[in-house]
Amino acid sequence: MASPISGMAFVRLSAPDLGRMQAFLEDFGMVLVHRDEKRMYMRGVGDAPFLHVTELGEPGVVSFGYQLRGDEQLAEVAKLPESQGIETFDAPGGGKRVRLRDLNGFTIELVAGQQRAETLAARPIVRGPDGESRSLSSARVVRLAHTAYMTPNLPETIAWYQRTLGLLPTDELYVGQSDNVIGQFDRLDLGDTLVDHHVLFMLRGPRAGMHHASFQVEGVDDIFFGFDHMRMRDHDHVRGIGRHALGSQIFNYWMSPFEQMHEHWISHERMNAHSRFNRIQIGEGMSYDTGDRPPERFTKQVSPVVAWPQ
């Protein structure tokens, strides 16, 4: 089944202090779109009206948002038994939305018909008369590339997302014996159209929640610009800079003030519906990548699912 979605749209988190979250996200590389007493929207430099929503409330994750390929897919997903029907999307860019609840009780939002935003000017690549090589600014976030989701019901959760979102397995990870599966990377099925290595990584854990949200930056230099900028602002660094062997992705991970992990990410590896599925044996602690071994804090990270805001 072809994917009804074309990619990630946004992540919806929850935090008790919108001001602290705004400061973190601006240093991370996003721009404020709208903020009121209960909710805040942040965008990147691409044409998405927003990439990140923070609801006022206890720390956690509320939902993942996906972009539907069109209105036809909106009508299709509205027929699913988990659907809450088609709703007007009261958010920057407008459009329509269908909310579903997965088997762990987690909400996903499927959106269509949003008005695209004007892209922001690219970082200059030609040095001007008064310019210099080193940038002292934040990274430039372009889009939300993927999310990682922890669940105690890994096989059932994989099956649900593959069936509902038409995802294809890219790489599966196991420790020891091949039946000891600890995670699976899944990508979009858009036929011959090239897509990222994964749009969702599902991993086994003691409770359901978000492991991290991954944001593509404008260029690989942004990973390093972002590292210097975030360090100067005393933000909480978790892991990196490194390279994920699967997907050939350069990464760096940062924790929000409310224990929600955000990744700076860029990759040039692409796949289509015909790309090979591999099962990969890895070491304990998800040790498979280039760079330092993942710290325990990284491997055990999970932001809890919180209730839909009232």
Side-chain angles (χ1 to χ4, degrees), residues 6-18:
S6 59
M8 295 292 304
F10 56 87
V11 61
R12 189 183 297 270
L13 305 183
S14 181
D17 188 328
L18 298 184

Side-chain angles (χ1 to χ4, degrees), residues 77-97:
V77 297
K79 299 174 184 177
L80 295 173
E82 303 91 348
S83 168
Q84 298 183 32
I86 298 176
E87 304 170 306
T88 298
F89 196 23
D90 183 16
K96 300 289 185 180
R97 170 183 71 183

Side-chain angles (χ1 to χ4, degrees), residues 14-16 57-61 258-260 303-306:
S14 181
E58 61 181 294
V61 55
F258 308 104
E259 297 297 312
Q260 298 137 325
S303 298
V305 175
V306 296

Side-chain angles (χ1 to χ4, degrees), residues 1-10 64-80 83 85-87 89 95-100 108-114 116 164-166 188 190:
M1 164 183 131
S3 298
I5 60 172
S6 59
M8 295 292 304
F10 56 87
F64 295 153
Y66 294 91
Q67 186 70 50
L68 288 164
R69 290 190 286 111
D71 289 344
E72 180 179 344
Q73 285 72 37
L74 188 73
E76 289 176 1
V77 297
K79 299 174 184 177
L80 295 173
S83 168
I86 298 176
E87 304 170 306
F89 196 23
K96 300 289 185 180
R97 170 183 71 183
V98 170
R99 285 183 287 170
L100 305 179
I108 64 172
E109 302 177 67
L110 306 174
V111 299
Q114 289 179 298
R116 308 316 289 175
T164 304
L165 300 184
L188 299 172
L190 298 182

Side-chain angles (χ1 to χ4, degrees), residues 64 146-150 199-203 209-214:
F64 295 153
H146 62 262
T147 50
Y149 183 44
M150 184 175 284
V199 71
L200 182 61
F201 175 44
M202 291 165 278
L203 65 158
M210 184 184 77
H211 183 265
H212 71 270
S214 178

Side-chain angles (χ1 to χ4, degrees), residues 3 5 66 145-147 154 157-163 165-172 183-189 195-202 271 277:
S3 298
I5 60 172
Y66 294 91
H146 62 262
T147 50
L154 184 60
T157 299
I158 289 172
W160 190 90
Y161 278 91
Q162 288 181 350
R163 181 178 68 251
L165 300 184
L167 303 184
L168 296 173
T170 300
D171 288 311
E172 188 169 85
Q184 188 181 98
F185 296 94
D186 282 50
R187 69 186 185 278
L188 299 172
D189 178 3
V195 300
D196 292 339
H197 173 269
H198 62 285
V199 71
L200 182 61
F201 175 44
M202 291 165 278
M271 302 186 177
F277 168 54

Side-chain angles (χ1 to χ4, degrees), residues 198-261:
H198 62 285
V199 71
L200 182 61
F201 175 44
M202 291 165 278
L203 65 158
R204 191 179 71 201
R207 57 179 176 152
M210 184 184 77
H211 183 265
H212 71 270
S214 178
F215 296 87
Q216 180 184 326
V217 293
E218 194 170 64
V220 70
D221 283 347
D222 287 271
I223 304 283
F224 295 88
F225 295 154
F227 181 83
D228 289 344
H229 185 79
M230 296 286 279
R231 271 288 175 85
M232 285 191 297
R233 299 300 180 94
D234 293 323
H235 290 294
D236 187 2
H237 185 240
V238 181
R239 185 188 178 199
I241 298 170
R243 174 183 172 272
H244 288 310
L246 301 177
S248 190
Q249 303 156 48
I250 309 301
F251 66 79
N252 206 17
Y253 292 90
W254 299 91
M255 197 70 76
S256 81
F258 308 104
E259 297 297 312
Q260 298 137 325
M261 197 154 66

